[in-house]
Amino acid sequence: MRASTRVLQQWAHSRPNSLSFIGLGRMGSQMAYNLFSKRFAAAKDSHFVVCDAVPDAANRFRDNFLHEFPGANMSIAPSPEQAIIASQTVVTMLPSSPHVRRVYLESGGLVPTLRMLTDEQVKSTFLIDSTTLDVQVGREVASETRKTGAEMIDAPVSGGVTGAKAGTLSFLVGGTEDAFQLARPILERMGARIIHCGASGSGLAAKICNNLVLGVEQIVVAEAMLLGQRLGLDPTVLAGVINSSTGGCWSSSVNNPVAGALADKSPPSDRDYEGGFATSLMIKDMGLATAVGETAGSPLPLAEAAESVYQASVTRYPELGNKDFSSVYKYLKQAAEEGRKVHVGGIVST
């Protein structure tokens, strides 16, 4: 069975020179902007396609992009099926494992659609998934994609919304060397560092390990900043001490959880924790780490503790779920002000 002849004919002329981006959330919209704007600057005849589960997100992205680049050729695909018919290069940036399964493997998804394309069209197709998801799910999706004859890499990112906007993300790539080299010029338009971690799934494994460190680190920075203030230290002075000493880290020097603590930067804490990496996504990532740790037989006591603290923070204050994960500081501060204790299992009454 072949995909609709009419649909294929509609896109056949532009497919080789077209890029599709699926997933226009906080990270995806910034990544797509950098990819498309730099590609447009280099090749004005490029065709761009955006797709999102929320139609308004795709419409808003297209309108904003065309306002800034009036000559650009951009379309909206109503489904992943249309996105891959339109473009032989597709980038996906999705929330989590279930979304990746749905977009890639379920009816109307990328892999079933590939099976309906011609052999030539399939072999020319290249898929890049930048979602942070379960390693086994990522490997399964890559395997099913390659069975069709198309190529795919996993390329999760590090750098957060700030890095996505600035185009300074680090891409942690899993896949063959040939696929890595094919992806490099695409990824370089969105990031500053492209790291080949190994075979399929290795990029995901590296990202999970990195975010394990980040999730634990952000909590201990929040603890230290809160403790210092309760001991009479000015938060700007304390941040300066930490950032110039052995405790220095990204969670303190760039994403400090105390508003006004960084005189030369504007972290999410300065904006009531808006515009950063959502706590709900950090809970997802910590869950991925603890799950894979159990499968691998690797003890993760701090990851388990951190996961429970983040979960307790959004259980008590649901609004923190969509705030930057450094908002865990607000949770700890409120507990201190109310005389409550925070334990690994969450909040306990005094």
Side-chain angles (χ1 to χ4, degrees):
M1 180 180 180
R2 299 297 183 189
S4 165
T5 302
R6 181 183 61 80
V7 175
L8 288 174
Q9 288 177 342
Q10 176 186 352
W11 297 107
H13 69 285
S14 61
R15 191 172 191 269
N17 198 36
S18 180
L19 284 169
S20 284
F21 201 106
I22 303 175
L24 299 170
R26 292 179 183 177
M27 293 286 292
S29 60
Q30 300 293 344
M31 292 165 63
Y33 173 84
N34 286 328
L35 175 60
F36 291 168
S37 59
K38 292 177 183 178
R39 173 69 174 264
F40 181 67
K44 293 292 192 293
D45 62 341
S46 297
H47 179 224
F48 307 114
V49 180
V50 290
C51 178
D52 194 89
V54 180
D56 283 349
N59 290 326
R60 185 166 55 251
F61 181 92
R62 180 192 59 184
D63 293 345
N64 290 340
F65 193 87
L66 294 181
H67 177 75
E68 188 167 352
F69 302 97
N73 182 8
M74 179 173 292
S75 303
I76 294 176
S79 66
E81 176 183 31
Q82 295 284 318
I84 201 167
I85 288 175
S87 306
Q88 66 182 32
T89 301
V90 180
V91 181
T92 55
M93 183 62 172
L94 305 165
S96 61
S97 301
H99 304 84
V100 171
R101 280 187 178 276
R102 188 176 309 124
V103 166
Y104 277 83
L105 302 182
E106 292 184 6
S107 177
L110 301 178
V111 171
T113 305
L114 281 171
R115 296 190 181 114
M116 297 188 291
L117 300 181
T118 66
D119 291 343
E120 182 180 355
Q121 288 168 331
V122 172
K123 289 178 181 178
S124 65
T125 300
F126 186 44
L127 296 160
I128 299 173
D129 181 40
S130 289
T131 310
T132 299
L133 71 155
D134 179 84
V135 175
Q136 293 307 316
V137 173
R139 287 174 174 162
E140 176 191 356
V141 168
S143 176
E144 291 300 315
T145 299
R146 293 194 182 100
K147 286 178 183 177
T148 69
E151 185 55 88
M152 180 179 180
I153 62 165
D154 53 280
V157 300
S158 178
V161 176
T162 301
K165 186 173 184 178
T168 57
L169 294 171
S170 292
F171 284 88
L172 313 177
V173 180
T176 66
E177 178 63 29
D178 287 345
F180 173 69
Q181 294 303 333
L182 185 62
R184 182 184 287 277
I186 300 169
L187 301 180
E188 284 177 346
R189 289 189 165 104
M190 299 182 284
R193 192 178 185 198
I194 320 299
I195 306 166
H196 189 199
C197 299
S200 179
S202 61
L204 289 169
K207 176 62 190 300
I208 289 172
C209 291
N210 177 78
N211 277 25
L212 185 161
V213 174
L214 178 61
V216 172
E217 181 182 82
Q218 193 68 65
I219 292 175
V220 77
V221 168
E223 290 178 353
M225 291 298 296
L226 178 61
L227 175 62
Q229 289 174 89
R230 292 179 73 83
L231 293 176
L233 289 171
D234 181 280
T236 304
V237 173
L238 178 55
V241 169
I242 294 172
N243 296 337
S244 60
S245 304
T246 53
C249 57
W250 184 88
S251 295
S252 176
S253 65
V254 176
N255 207 48
N256 198 285
V258 179
L262 302 177
D264 59 340
K265 295 183 176 68
S266 180
S269 60
D270 284 2
R271 304 182 299 277
D272 192 28
Y273 304 95
E274 292 291 344
F277 186 69
T279 304
S280 60
L281 293 178
M282 179 53 75
I283 292 172
K284 178 206 74 173
D285 286 358
M286 299 307 292
L288 289 173
T290 55
V292 77
E294 183 174 353
T295 301
S298 183
L300 302 177
L302 293 184
E304 292 173 359
E307 181 183 7
S308 72
V309 171
Y310 286 119
Q311 186 60 62
S313 73
V314 300
T315 297
R316 181 171 285 273
Y317 306 111
E319 68 276 11
L320 297 186
N322 290 322
K323 301 280 190 178
D324 183 74
F325 70 110
S326 62
S327 63
V328 70
Y329 170 81
K330 291 184 68 174
Y331 167 68
L332 297 174
K333 182 181 179 183
Q334 192 65 28
E337 291 175 352
E338 295 175 3
R340 292 182 284 104
K341 293 184 178 181
V342 177
H343 288 290
V344 170
I347 283 287
V348 296
S349 300
T350 56

